[in-house]
Amino acid sequence: MDTIVGMRTFVAVARQRSFTAGAKQLEISTKLASKYVRQLEEKLGAQLFHRTTRSVTLTETGEAYFTRCVPLLEQFDELEGVVQTRQSTLAGSIRITAPTGFGSTHLVDAVSHFQPLHPDVTIQLQLADHYVPVVEEGFDLAIRFGPLNDSSLVARKLMDMRMVVAASPDYLSRVGEPQHPEDLSQHNCLLMRINADQSRWPFNIEGEPVSVRVSGSFHANSPKAIAQMGATGLGIIFCPHYAIKPYVETGELKILFEEQEASVISLYAVYPQSRHLSARVRALIDHLVETFKAGI
């Protein structure tokens, strides 16, 4: 067993607190991950994990080894990146986490144009609409909307996107179209709850910022879910433009109060501050910046 392979396996299992999840991250079998860690322990002459049928936890020695392993692996990756840059050939894996709706559409489109240029780079994309800890779960990159609240991460802005109010023609014909943003308080408004309270929707009315308190019968943590539910005629929605664009093009949703829009949401590529960017990750971020600079 190569020591670096054993260290990578150990770190993956430690981060996931599971041989099965750690093996899945590395795209190897659980049996092989267990074998690599056992061989590493034999080589070191120390037990790194407490193992039970239900959990895997680090021993005191394992915690100390983990603390030293992570920066060593990052330095090794950096060294590989230097060589790859000099050879103009990128190789290796990039683990990315992104929101489900955006990640399964626009991000996938962007990556599909990146990979043919770098066929030796493997992309591992995990989609989730909840907050995913980048460092703890071993991701190289996260694609996120909204402000950066974690000081241990670095963010590179990819673009700004409109936040829009919309409703289906069916809903508007049944209930009536609001004539002023403040009329929204009398409507069934579908709320998107991700990083902040969305029960107040912002507008710019005659040059003044105004927030309107809204409420409704459906809440979700996914813009895609909100857009789809709005298209069925359940209520009025407020979400990123990318999520409603397909429904607007088919006439299933109509944008309201365009002249009073007051909100944009920024999209960022986020990565650990402590980690030196490998050449492949830097190249992907540069590609995303170029792809999204004109908006979507």
Side-chain angles (χ1 to χ4, degrees):
M1 177 208 64
D2 182 274
T3 301
I4 294 294
V5 172
M7 291 168 67
R8 289 194 190 281
T9 307
F10 161 72
V11 168
V13 172
R15 280 174 166 157
Q16 300 296 326
R17 298 181 179 84
S18 163
F19 277 92
T20 301
K24 185 177 180 180
Q25 177 183 319
L26 296 173
E27 297 184 332
I28 61 177
S29 68
T30 303
K31 184 177 180 180
L32 190 57
S34 180
K35 176 182 176 182
Y36 285 160
V37 170
R38 185 175 67 254
Q39 289 177 341
L40 182 64
E41 289 179 321
E42 290 173 354
K43 184 173 184 177
L44 296 172
Q47 182 179 346
L48 301 175
F49 289 112
H50 294 298
R51 300 166 174 83
T52 69
T53 55
R54 293 187 177 182
S55 67
V56 177
T57 58
L58 288 168
T59 63
E60 185 176 345
T61 300
E63 289 179 355
Y65 190 67
F66 178 83
T67 301
R68 289 162 177 78
C69 254
V70 172
L72 285 174
L73 289 174
E74 289 175 353
Q75 289 173 26
F76 183 80
D77 289 339
E78 180 183 347
L79 180 60
E80 282 191 327
V82 170
V83 174
Q84 290 169 8
T85 301
R86 290 177 177 242
Q87 293 180 336
S88 299
T89 300
L90 301 181
S93 65
I94 303 175
R95 297 192 71 234
I96 312 172
T97 178
T100 303
F102 185 85
S104 61
T105 53
H106 300 289
L107 180 60
V108 166
D109 287 342
V111 170
S112 71
H113 290 94
F114 174 82
Q115 287 205 277
L117 302 174
H118 307 287
D120 294 327
V121 174
T122 301
I123 304 291
Q124 300 178 39
L125 175 61
Q126 178 175 308
L127 302 176
D129 287 319
H130 60 273
Y131 177 85
V132 176
V134 178
V135 176
E136 291 83 346
E137 297 201 13
F139 284 98
D140 300 296
L141 191 64
I143 305 301
R144 287 184 179 164
F145 283 103
L148 178 64
N149 298 317
D150 190 337
S151 61
S152 68
L153 303 176
V154 177
R156 186 169 174 187
K157 191 174 183 178
L158 301 179
M159 67 173 173
D160 286 326
M161 180 168 290
R162 295 164 57 197
M163 292 289 291
V164 297
V165 176
S168 73
D170 175 63
Y171 175 86
L172 297 176
S173 66
R174 285 187 292 106
V175 182
E177 183 170 338
Q179 300 302 305
H180 189 278
E182 292 183 351
D183 295 342
L184 292 170
S185 62
Q186 305 303 314
H187 284 262
N188 187 37
C189 295
L190 316 184
L191 304 186
M192 182 179 66
R193 300 188 184 277
I194 300 180
N195 296 323
D197 179 15
Q198 292 292 320
S199 62
R200 283 190 174 276
W201 292 357
F203 296 92
N204 187 323
I205 301 176
E206 298 181 354
E208 295 294 328
V210 174
S211 66
V212 177
R213 180 173 288 280
V214 297
S215 61
S217 61
F218 181 78
H219 302 180
N221 69 341
S222 165
K224 187 175 181 180
I226 291 291
Q228 185 170 342
M229 191 62 80
T232 68
L234 180 65
I236 298 178
I237 66 174
F238 177 66
C239 64
H241 184 259
Y242 83 85
I244 73 159
K245 187 177 179 181
Y247 300 102
V248 172
E249 291 173 346
T250 60
E252 295 172 271
L253 284 174
K254 175 184 177 181
I255 297 179
L256 308 175
F257 306 120
E258 286 191 84
E259 294 184 359
Q260 287 85 35
E261 286 178 15
S263 181
V264 297
I265 187 169
S266 297
L267 179 69
Y268 295 95
V270 178
Y271 56 91
Q273 189 175 59
S274 60
R275 185 174 302 168
H276 189 282
L277 279 184
S278 65
R280 58 185 178 273
V281 175
R282 185 180 295 107
L284 177 58
I285 294 175
D286 289 342
H287 173 78
L288 295 178
V289 169
E290 183 67 22
T291 299
F292 295 128
K293 69 179 183 182
I296 56 175

